[in-house]
mmCIF file with all atom_site columns, all heavy atoms in Angstrom:
data_model
loop_
_atom_site.group_PDB
_atom_site.id
_atom_site.type_symbol
_atom_site.label_atom_id
_atom_site.label_alt_id
_atom_site.label_comp_id
_atom_site.label_asym_id
_atom_site.label_entity_id
_atom_site.label_seq_id
_atom_site.pdbx_PDB_ins_code
_atom_site.Cartn_x
_atom_site.Cartn_y
_atom_site.Cartn_z
_atom_site.occupancy
_atom_site.B_iso_or_equiv
_atom_site.pdbx_formal_charge
_atom_site.auth_seq_id
_atom_site.auth_comp_id
_atom_site.auth_asym_id
_atom_site.auth_atom_id
_atom_site.pdbx_PDB_model_num
ATOM 1   N N   . PRO O 1 221 ? -24.608 33.409 59.223 1.00 91.00 ? 221 PRO O N   1
ATOM 2   C CA  . PRO O 1 221 ? -24.349 31.957 59.404 1.00 91.00 ? 221 PRO O CA  1
ATOM 3   C C   . PRO O 1 221 ? -23.199 31.446 58.545 1.00 91.00 ? 221 PRO O C   1
ATOM 4   O O   . PRO O 1 221 ? -23.422 30.738 57.556 1.00 91.00 ? 221 PRO O O   1
ATOM 5   C CB  . PRO O 1 221 ? -25.685 31.324 58.990 1.00 91.00 ? 221 PRO O CB  1
ATOM 6   C CG  . PRO O 1 221 ? -26.283 32.285 58.015 1.00 91.00 ? 221 PRO O CG  1
ATOM 7   C CD  . PRO O 1 221 ? -25.806 33.648 58.395 1.00 91.00 ? 221 PRO O CD  1
ATOM 8   N N   . TYR O 1 222 ? -21.974 31.803 58.934 1.00 92.00 ? 222 TYR O N   1
ATOM 9   C CA  . TYR O 1 222 ? -20.808 31.428 58.114 1.00 92.00 ? 222 TYR O CA  1
ATOM 10  C C   . TYR O 1 222 ? -20.679 29.909 57.941 1.00 92.00 ? 222 TYR O C   1
ATOM 11  O O   . TYR O 1 222 ? -20.265 29.423 56.890 1.00 92.00 ? 222 TYR O O   1
ATOM 12  C CB  . TYR O 1 222 ? -19.524 31.983 58.771 1.00 92.00 ? 222 TYR O CB  1
ATOM 13  C CG  . TYR O 1 222 ? -19.385 33.472 58.596 1.00 92.00 ? 222 TYR O CG  1
ATOM 14  C CD1 . TYR O 1 222 ? -19.669 34.340 59.649 1.00 92.00 ? 222 TYR O CD1 1
ATOM 15  C CD2 . TYR O 1 222 ? -18.960 34.016 57.376 1.00 92.00 ? 222 TYR O CD2 1
ATOM 16  C CE1 . TYR O 1 222 ? -19.564 35.704 59.488 1.00 92.00 ? 222 TYR O CE1 1
ATOM 17  C CE2 . TYR O 1 222 ? -18.864 35.385 57.217 1.00 92.00 ? 222 TYR O CE2 1
ATOM 18  C CZ  . TYR O 1 222 ? -19.152 36.219 58.272 1.00 92.00 ? 222 TYR O CZ  1
ATOM 19  O OH  . TYR O 1 222 ? -19.053 37.582 58.112 1.00 92.00 ? 222 TYR O OH  1
ATOM 20  N N   . PHE O 1 223 ? -21.037 29.192 59.027 1.00 94.00 ? 223 PHE O N   1
ATOM 21  C CA  . PHE O 1 223 ? -20.906 27.737 58.961 1.00 94.00 ? 223 PHE O CA  1
ATOM 22  C C   . PHE O 1 223 ? -21.714 27.180 57.784 1.00 94.00 ? 223 PHE O C   1
ATOM 23  O O   . PHE O 1 223 ? -21.226 26.357 56.999 1.00 94.00 ? 223 PHE O O   1
ATOM 24  C CB  . PHE O 1 223 ? -21.369 27.103 60.278 1.00 94.00 ? 223 PHE O CB  1
ATOM 25  C CG  . PHE O 1 223 ? -21.462 25.600 60.195 1.00 94.00 ? 223 PHE O CG  1
ATOM 26  C CD1 . PHE O 1 223 ? -20.301 24.831 60.249 1.00 94.00 ? 223 PHE O CD1 1
ATOM 27  C CD2 . PHE O 1 223 ? -22.683 24.961 60.055 1.00 94.00 ? 223 PHE O CD2 1
ATOM 28  C CE1 . PHE O 1 223 ? -20.369 23.441 60.167 1.00 94.00 ? 223 PHE O CE1 1
ATOM 29  C CE2 . PHE O 1 223 ? -22.751 23.574 59.952 1.00 94.00 ? 223 PHE O CE2 1
ATOM 30  C CZ  . PHE O 1 223 ? -21.596 22.810 60.014 1.00 94.00 ? 223 PHE O CZ  1
ATOM 31  N N   . TRP O 1 224 ? -22.955 27.651 57.649 1.00 93.00 ? 224 TRP O N   1
ATOM 32  C CA  . TRP O 1 224 ? -23.827 27.123 56.584 1.00 93.00 ? 224 TRP O CA  1
ATOM 33  C C   . TRP O 1 224 ? -23.385 27.605 55.206 1.00 93.00 ? 224 TRP O C   1
ATOM 34  O O   . TRP O 1 224 ? -23.605 26.895 54.213 1.00 93.00 ? 224 TRP O O   1
ATOM 35  C CB  . TRP O 1 224 ? -25.286 27.487 56.841 1.00 93.00 ? 224 TRP O CB  1
ATOM 36  C CG  . TRP O 1 224 ? -25.795 26.735 58.052 1.00 93.00 ? 224 TRP O CG  1
ATOM 37  C CD1 . TRP O 1 224 ? -26.118 27.266 59.251 1.00 93.00 ? 224 TRP O CD1 1
ATOM 38  C CD2 . TRP O 1 224 ? -25.966 25.335 58.171 1.00 93.00 ? 224 TRP O CD2 1
ATOM 39  N NE1 . TRP O 1 224 ? -26.500 26.286 60.131 1.00 93.00 ? 224 TRP O NE1 1
ATOM 40  C CE2 . TRP O 1 224 ? -26.417 25.081 59.490 1.00 93.00 ? 224 TRP O CE2 1
ATOM 41  C CE3 . TRP O 1 224 ? -25.795 24.246 57.320 1.00 93.00 ? 224 TRP O CE3 1
ATOM 42  C CZ2 . TRP O 1 224 ? -26.689 23.788 59.960 1.00 93.00 ? 224 TRP O CZ2 1
ATOM 43  C CZ3 . TRP O 1 224 ? -26.054 22.955 57.777 1.00 93.00 ? 224 TRP O CZ3 1
ATOM 44  C CH2 . TRP O 1 224 ? -26.501 22.743 59.076 1.00 93.00 ? 224 TRP O CH2 1
ATOM 45  N N   . LEU O 1 225 ? -22.727 28.762 55.172 1.00 94.00 ? 225 LEU O N   1
ATOM 46  C CA  . LEU O 1 225 ? -22.173 29.219 53.891 1.00 94.00 ? 225 LEU O CA  1
ATOM 47  C C   . LEU O 1 225 ? -21.059 28.245 53.452 1.00 94.00 ? 225 LEU O C   1
ATOM 48  O O   . LEU O 1 225 ? -20.983 27.858 52.284 1.00 94.00 ? 225 LEU O O   1
ATOM 49  C CB  . LEU O 1 225 ? -21.609 30.641 54.024 1.00 94.00 ? 225 LEU O CB  1
ATOM 50  C CG  . LEU O 1 225 ? -20.956 31.186 52.751 1.00 94.00 ? 225 LEU O CG  1
ATOM 51  C CD1 . LEU O 1 225 ? -21.998 31.395 51.653 1.00 94.00 ? 225 LEU O CD1 1
ATOM 52  C CD2 . LEU O 1 225 ? -20.245 32.518 53.016 1.00 94.00 ? 225 LEU O CD2 1
ATOM 53  N N   . VAL O 1 226 ? -20.226 27.841 54.430 1.00 95.00 ? 226 VAL O N   1
ATOM 54  C CA  . VAL O 1 226 ? -19.146 26.893 54.127 1.00 95.00 ? 226 VAL O CA  1
ATOM 55  C C   . VAL O 1 226 ? -19.733 25.560 53.667 1.00 95.00 ? 226 VAL O C   1
ATOM 56  O O   . VAL O 1 226 ? -19.287 24.963 52.679 1.00 95.00 ? 226 VAL O O   1
ATOM 57  C CB  . VAL O 1 226 ? -18.215 26.707 55.360 1.00 95.00 ? 226 VAL O CB  1
ATOM 58  C CG1 . VAL O 1 226 ? -17.210 25.588 55.113 1.00 95.00 ? 226 VAL O CG1 1
ATOM 59  C CG2 . VAL O 1 226 ? -17.488 28.012 55.675 1.00 95.00 ? 226 VAL O CG2 1
ATOM 60  N N   . VAL O 1 227 ? -20.801 25.129 54.367 1.00 94.00 ? 227 VAL O N   1
ATOM 61  C CA  . VAL O 1 227 ? -21.469 23.871 53.981 1.00 94.00 ? 227 VAL O CA  1
ATOM 62  C C   . VAL O 1 227 ? -21.942 23.964 52.534 1.00 94.00 ? 227 VAL O C   1
ATOM 63  O O   . VAL O 1 227 ? -21.753 23.043 51.735 1.00 94.00 ? 227 VAL O O   1
ATOM 64  C CB  . VAL O 1 227 ? -22.668 23.577 54.934 1.00 94.00 ? 227 VAL O CB  1
ATOM 65  C CG1 . VAL O 1 227 ? -23.521 22.428 54.395 1.00 94.00 ? 227 VAL O CG1 1
ATOM 66  C CG2 . VAL O 1 227 ? -22.152 23.234 56.330 1.00 94.00 ? 227 VAL O CG2 1
ATOM 67  N N   . LEU O 1 228 ? -22.543 25.096 52.189 1.00 93.00 ? 228 LEU O N   1
ATOM 68  C CA  . LEU O 1 228 ? -23.049 25.279 50.833 1.00 93.00 ? 228 LEU O CA  1
ATOM 69  C C   . LEU O 1 228 ? -21.930 25.283 49.794 1.00 93.00 ? 228 LEU O C   1
ATOM 70  O O   . LEU O 1 228 ? -22.052 24.664 48.718 1.00 93.00 ? 228 LEU O O   1
ATOM 71  C CB  . LEU O 1 228 ? -23.843 26.598 50.740 1.00 93.00 ? 228 LEU O CB  1
ATOM 72  C CG  . LEU O 1 228 ? -24.652 26.798 49.471 1.00 93.00 ? 228 LEU O CG  1
ATOM 73  C CD1 . LEU O 1 228 ? -25.755 25.761 49.340 1.00 93.00 ? 228 LEU O CD1 1
ATOM 74  C CD2 . LEU O 1 228 ? -25.270 28.198 49.417 1.00 93.00 ? 228 LEU O CD2 1
ATOM 75  N N   . ILE O 1 229 ? -20.816 25.936 50.144 1.00 95.00 ? 229 ILE O N   1
ATOM 76  C CA  . ILE O 1 229 ? -19.672 25.969 49.212 1.00 95.00 ? 229 ILE O CA  1
ATOM 77  C C   . ILE O 1 229 ? -19.127 24.556 49.006 1.00 95.00 ? 229 ILE O C   1
ATOM 78  O O   . ILE O 1 229 ? -18.830 24.158 47.872 1.00 95.00 ? 229 ILE O O   1
ATOM 79  C CB  . ILE O 1 229 ? -18.585 26.953 49.725 1.00 95.00 ? 229 ILE O CB  1
ATOM 80  C CG1 . ILE O 1 229 ? -19.107 28.383 49.614 1.00 95.00 ? 229 ILE O CG1 1
ATOM 81  C CG2 . ILE O 1 229 ? -17.283 26.789 48.920 1.00 95.00 ? 229 ILE O CG2 1
ATOM 82  C CD1 . ILE O 1 229 ? -18.284 29.428 50.317 1.00 95.00 ? 229 ILE O CD1 1
ATOM 83  N N   . VAL O 1 230 ? -19.045 23.788 50.093 1.00 96.00 ? 230 VAL O N   1
ATOM 84  C CA  . VAL O 1 230 ? -18.568 22.409 49.972 1.00 96.00 ? 230 VAL O CA  1
ATOM 85  C C   . VAL O 1 230 ? -19.524 21.624 49.061 1.00 96.00 ? 230 VAL O C   1
ATOM 86  O O   . VAL O 1 230 ? -19.091 20.870 48.194 1.00 96.00 ? 230 VAL O O   1
ATOM 87  C CB  . VAL O 1 230 ? -18.468 21.735 51.368 1.00 96.00 ? 230 VAL O CB  1
ATOM 88  C CG1 . VAL O 1 230 ? -18.226 20.230 51.240 1.00 96.00 ? 230 VAL O CG1 1
ATOM 89  C CG2 . VAL O 1 230 ? -17.364 22.392 52.178 1.00 96.00 ? 230 VAL O CG2 1
ATOM 90  N N   . TYR O 1 231 ? -20.823 21.860 49.235 1.00 94.00 ? 231 TYR O N   1
ATOM 91  C CA  . TYR O 1 231 ? -21.816 21.187 48.399 1.00 94.00 ? 231 TYR O CA  1
ATOM 92  C C   . TYR O 1 231 ? -21.597 21.542 46.915 1.00 94.00 ? 231 TYR O C   1
ATOM 93  O O   . TYR O 1 231 ? -21.624 20.667 46.040 1.00 94.00 ? 231 TYR O O   1
ATOM 94  C CB  . TYR O 1 231 ? -23.235 21.577 48.830 1.00 94.00 ? 231 TYR O CB  1
ATOM 95  C CG  . TYR O 1 231 ? -24.282 21.161 47.801 1.00 94.00 ? 231 TYR O CG  1
ATOM 96  C CD1 . TYR O 1 231 ? -24.688 19.847 47.698 1.00 94.00 ? 231 TYR O CD1 1
ATOM 97  C CD2 . TYR O 1 231 ? -24.817 22.098 46.918 1.00 94.00 ? 231 TYR O CD2 1
ATOM 98  C CE1 . TYR O 1 231 ? -25.611 19.456 46.747 1.00 94.00 ? 231 TYR O CE1 1
ATOM 99  C CE2 . TYR O 1 231 ? -25.752 21.726 45.960 1.00 94.00 ? 231 TYR O CE2 1
ATOM 100 C CZ  . TYR O 1 231 ? -26.138 20.397 45.879 1.00 94.00 ? 231 TYR O CZ  1
ATOM 101 O OH  . TYR O 1 231 ? -27.040 20.019 44.926 1.00 94.00 ? 231 TYR O OH  1
ATOM 102 N N   . ILE O 1 232 ? -21.361 22.825 46.649 1.00 94.00 ? 232 ILE O N   1
ATOM 103 C CA  . ILE O 1 232 ? -21.163 23.268 45.252 1.00 94.00 ? 232 ILE O CA  1
ATOM 104 C C   . ILE O 1 232 ? -19.946 22.541 44.641 1.00 94.00 ? 232 ILE O C   1
ATOM 105 O O   . ILE O 1 232 ? -20.022 22.026 43.527 1.00 94.00 ? 232 ILE O O   1
ATOM 106 C CB  . ILE O 1 232 ? -20.943 24.809 45.179 1.00 94.00 ? 232 ILE O CB  1
ATOM 107 C CG1 . ILE O 1 232 ? -22.229 25.533 45.582 1.00 94.00 ? 232 ILE O CG1 1
ATOM 108 C CG2 . ILE O 1 232 ? -20.519 25.246 43.776 1.00 94.00 ? 232 ILE O CG2 1
ATOM 109 C CD1 . ILE O 1 232 ? -22.054 27.034 45.837 1.00 94.00 ? 232 ILE O CD1 1
ATOM 110 N N   . VAL O 1 233 ? -18.875 22.483 45.412 1.00 95.00 ? 233 VAL O N   1
ATOM 111 C CA  . VAL O 1 233 ? -17.644 21.841 44.919 1.00 95.00 ? 233 VAL O CA  1
ATOM 112 C C   . VAL O 1 233 ? -17.900 20.352 44.627 1.00 95.00 ? 233 VAL O C   1
ATOM 113 O O   . VAL O 1 233 ? -17.553 19.830 43.573 1.00 95.00 ? 233 VAL O O   1
ATOM 114 C CB  . VAL O 1 233 ? -16.471 22.021 45.907 1.00 95.00 ? 233 VAL O CB  1
ATOM 115 C CG1 . VAL O 1 233 ? -15.251 21.210 45.488 1.00 95.00 ? 233 VAL O CG1 1
ATOM 116 C CG2 . VAL O 1 233 ? -16.113 23.500 46.033 1.00 95.00 ? 233 VAL O CG2 1
ATOM 117 N N   . LEU O 1 234 ? -18.579 19.683 45.588 1.00 95.00 ? 234 LEU O N   1
ATOM 118 C CA  . LEU O 1 234 ? -18.850 18.254 45.416 1.00 95.00 ? 234 LEU O CA  1
ATOM 119 C C   . LEU O 1 234 ? -19.780 18.002 44.228 1.00 95.00 ? 234 LEU O C   1
ATOM 120 O O   . LEU O 1 234 ? -19.581 17.094 43.441 1.00 95.00 ? 234 LEU O O   1
ATOM 121 C CB  . LEU O 1 234 ? -19.473 17.667 46.706 1.00 95.00 ? 234 LEU O CB  1
ATOM 122 C CG  . LEU O 1 234 ? -18.542 17.597 47.914 1.00 95.00 ? 234 LEU O CG  1
ATOM 123 C CD1 . LEU O 1 234 ? -19.286 17.100 49.133 1.00 95.00 ? 234 LEU O CD1 1
ATOM 124 C CD2 . LEU O 1 234 ? -17.339 16.700 47.631 1.00 95.00 ? 234 LEU O CD2 1
#
Side-chain angles (χ1 to χ4, degrees):
Chain O
Y222 287 102
F223 171 77
W224 292 110
L225 178 67
V226 172
V227 169
L228 191 64
I229 291 168
V230 170
Y231 167 77
I232 293 167
V233 173
L234 292 176

